[in-house]
Amino acid sequence: MFQTLSRETGRSLNELVQEALERFLEEWEDRRDAEDAKKALEEYERDGGGMSLDAFVRDLGLRT
């Protein structure tokens, strides 16, 4: 496949494989980011949508 594309486009095999790998890694990273965002949203919703400022400050130990 890459060899045929290399001949048809005049681009080196190495260049084509490197471009394909870069695209794959970008898409893989995008999928991971989307999965992480989905998990964070689910956790946020499961925990009732966050916490009040007072509870946040108290959890940090800044105020009792």
Side-chain angles (χ1 to χ4, degrees):
M1 175 178 131
F2 284 112
Q3 291 175 343
T4 302
L5 186 58
S6 177
R7 280 192 304 273
E8 291 176 358
T9 63
R11 296 170 67 192
S12 73
L13 188 58
N14 184 48
E15 182 181 359
L16 294 171
V17 170
Q18 185 169 346
E19 182 180 326
L21 180 58
E22 288 172 3
R23 284 185 183 185
F24 168 80
L25 291 174
E26 287 173 4
E27 290 174 10
W28 178 74
E29 184 177 9
D30 289 346
R31 282 192 303 272
R32 281 193 39 186
D33 290 346
E35 290 171 6
D36 289 345
K38 182 180 176 187
K39 287 177 185 176
L41 178 59
E42 289 170 352
E43 181 179 336
Y44 174 80
E45 290 172 343
R46 184 180 59 245
D47 292 344
M51 65 172 62
S52 69
L53 178 59
D54 287 336
F56 178 73
V57 171
R58 195 172 42 252
D59 283 356
L60 292 175
L62 300 176
R63 190 173 9 156
T64 56

